[in-house]
Amino acid sequence: MEQKNKENYLVSTFFVFFLIHSSQTGIGLLSFQNTIFENAGHDAWISVIITGLSLHIILWMILQMVSNPTKDLLKIHQISFGDKIGNFLSVIVIGYFFLLALTVFRTYIEAIHVWVFPMIKTWELSIGLACLIIYIITGGFRTLTGISFLGVVLPSLLLLTLYFPLQYANFRNLMPVFNHSILEIAQSSKASSLIYIGFETLLIYFPFIKYPSKSAKWAHGALAYTTFLYLLVTLLTFVYFSQGQLKHTLWPTLVMTKIVEMPFIIRFEFIFIFTWVLVILPAVCIPIWCCTRILKKITKIKPRKSLYTIMSLILLSSILIDDHLEVDALGKFASEIGFYFIYSYIPLLFIIFSIRKSKFESSQY
């Protein structure tokens, strides 16, 4: 019989909304427009909707696997493939979560480097952010949940500033609608997968939800809100920038914040970037926590020890990635891996688990 988590480690069910949304809304919101624009042009907003809707099916599969009774990805792997192969696959998933954390971590460092401190060294910024991440994760899952809550609520106020570029909107930029082929929109949908990945961490922390049977509405609600948010920012970007301008704009969301004018603030984009750290922290901390959780259950290594090791590897990797082209390549690689993990591995795992589950349950009696 698997030991259940203690009551004081659990979080209320509605926090699933904040955990999922904060896992998805990371650094990608500042620059994703270029990625989806490459294939479908001004019709790329359609791909945002398609990807968001399709992920509800993937989320349903995840909830079906982790529910009744409550379990995590390690148990699902063991039921589906046996202990040895299952644990081996779980170790591979550690590499996947590590890649997610590294991508958000290094891309945010690049944003600070480009927009605020161009002369400062990458390792200096990385160490400061790494110390903050370690402090949060050592506080435990409930502390991580609290940061996720703040990472959704407080930065949401910054989205009100998007009203300023709306004053210069040219809605003719969206015309003509459906001017691209289905293949081009599908390619754009694949490219947009990076802005949605992260919700699959639910596979690891689901046993820490107090009433997991009631979490489905909050999980799907979070995914719907993420889709709405990305759709809103996408449409606003397309009506603010012409197609020629957008091709040569690396950080469209940050560029739009530059026109915000207030009597007591000269460079509002600085405030936007530094406040955005609350958004990227959960997107880095949750995958790293998942890595430590998997290692604890497989190898019995204490989370604190594995945390220092993982953060050291992230620091080393972020220092070795030393220019924008390499950061961009890292983001594209993470997007590619995330796409196949979500749309290939999870459905395949769902099918195998569904077949093996009944046989496993019958053997328990």
Side-chain angles (χ1 to χ4, degrees):
M1 180 74 69
E2 188 172 358
Q3 186 178 4
K4 294 184 178 180
N5 296 311
K6 295 180 180 180
E7 180 75 16
N8 60 331
Y9 293 156
L10 307 182
V11 298
S12 298
T13 310
F14 74 93
F15 279 116
V16 171
F17 177 93
F18 299 97
L19 286 164
I20 288 182
H21 179 66
S22 62
S23 297
Q24 294 178 302
T25 315
I27 197 67
L29 191 61
L30 303 181
S31 60
F32 75 97
Q33 299 95 321
N34 297 94
T35 305
I36 64 175
F37 179 81
E38 289 179 3
N39 296 297
H42 61 271
D43 280 335
W45 62 271
I46 301 173
S47 66
V48 174
I49 298 176
I50 292 174
T51 305
L53 292 177
S54 66
L55 288 178
H56 283 279
I57 301 175
I58 304 298
L59 180 58
W60 175 82
M61 292 180 182
I62 291 176
L63 290 171
Q64 289 297 308
M65 289 190 288
V66 297
S67 302
N68 301 318
T70 301
K71 61 184 78 67
D72 57 14
L73 181 63
L74 286 85
K75 191 65 178 179
I76 294 170
H77 277 158
Q78 291 170 357
I79 293 174
S80 302
F81 303 103
D83 290 344
K84 292 184 178 180
I85 298 178
N87 289 341
F88 173 74
L89 291 173
S90 296
V91 171
I92 294 178
V93 173
I94 292 176
Y96 171 69
F97 287 139
F98 176 87
L99 177 63
L100 296 189
L102 174 62
T103 302
V104 178
F105 183 91
R106 185 61 183 87
T107 308
Y108 183 70
I109 294 295
E110 181 69 10
I112 296 179
H113 213 175
V114 171
W115 284 84
V116 186
F117 299 122
M119 303 304 294
I120 199 169
K121 301 294 184 182
T122 300
W123 66 268
E124 295 174 322
L125 293 172
S126 299
I127 289 176
L129 186 58
C131 291
L132 181 59
I133 291 170
I134 291 174
Y135 177 76
I136 292 171
I137 297 178
T138 51
F141 184 71
R142 300 189 76 171
T143 301
L144 196 55
T145 303
I147 293 296
S148 299
F149 176 81
L150 294 176
V152 174
V153 175
L154 295 182
S156 295
L157 300 175
L158 293 176
L159 297 176
L160 297 176
T161 60
L162 296 179
Y163 164 77
F164 290 89
L166 188 62
Q167 300 176 72
Y168 304 96
N170 181 4
F171 290 93
R172 287 178 295 181
N173 290 346
L174 297 175
M175 305 301 290
V177 183
F178 302 113
N179 194 39
H180 294 79
S181 67
I182 296 177
L183 177 60
E184 289 172 325
I185 293 177
Q187 290 173 336
S188 179
S189 297
K190 180 182 177 182
S192 68
S193 60
L194 179 62
I195 63 178
Y196 285 103
I197 59 178
F199 73 98
E200 62 275 20
T201 51
L202 179 67
L203 285 162
I204 306 299
Y205 63 72
F206 191 77
F208 288 83
I209 308 303
K210 187 172 292 187
Y211 302 108
S213 60
K214 300 178 181 179
S215 63
K217 63 180 181 181
W218 296 106
H220 285 284
L223 190 53
Y225 178 63
T226 301
T227 304
F228 168 77
L229 179 62
Y230 279 119
L231 177 62
L232 179 65
V233 175
T234 300
L235 290 172
L236 181 58
T237 303
F238 288 174
V239 299
Y240 181 77
F241 294 100
S242 67
Q243 295 192 37
Q245 290 173 326
L246 191 56
K247 287 180 180 178
H248 299 92
T249 305
L250 295 178
W251 306 87
T253 306
L254 287 176
V255 172
M256 288 191 290
T257 63
K258 289 183 67 175
I259 68 169
V260 177
E261 295 182 357
M262 296 181 182
F264 52 91
I265 299 175
I266 298 177
R267 299 293 298 272
F268 182 80
E269 67 270 20
F270 287 2
I271 296 177
F272 195 97
I273 291 174
F274 287 122
T275 307
W276 209 252
V277 71
L278 290 172
V279 178
I280 68 101
L281 278 175
V284 177
C285 293
I286 293 176
I288 293 176
W289 180 89
C290 291
C291 292
T292 62
R293 177 71 181 172
I294 295 173
L295 284 170
K296 177 185 176 182
K297 297 193 72 174
I298 292 179
T299 64
K300 307 301 181 182
I301 298 176
K302 293 183 178 180
R304 189 177 294 270
K305 291 183 179 179
S306 59
L307 173 60
Y308 290 134
T309 302
I310 292 170
M311 282 310 307
S312 298
L313 292 174
I314 288 179
L315 276 173
L316 179 61
S317 301
S318 65
I319 294 171
L320 294 175
I321 302 172
D322 60 357
D323 59 42
H324 179 75
L325 291 177
E326 293 182 356
V327 174
D328 186 58
L330 174 65
K332 290 181 178 179
F333 178 70
S335 178
E336 193 80 9
I337 297 297
F339 175 83
Y340 288 110
F341 182 84
I342 292 173
Y343 286 102
S344 297
Y345 183 70
I346 291 180
L348 178 62
L349 180 62
F350 174 75
I351 294 172
I352 296 174
F353 175 76
S354 299
I355 296 173
R356 295 278 298 173
K357 181 181 178 182
S358 57
K359 183 177 179 181
F360 177 81
E361 290 177 345
S362 62
S363 65
Q364 300 298 306
Y365 296 98

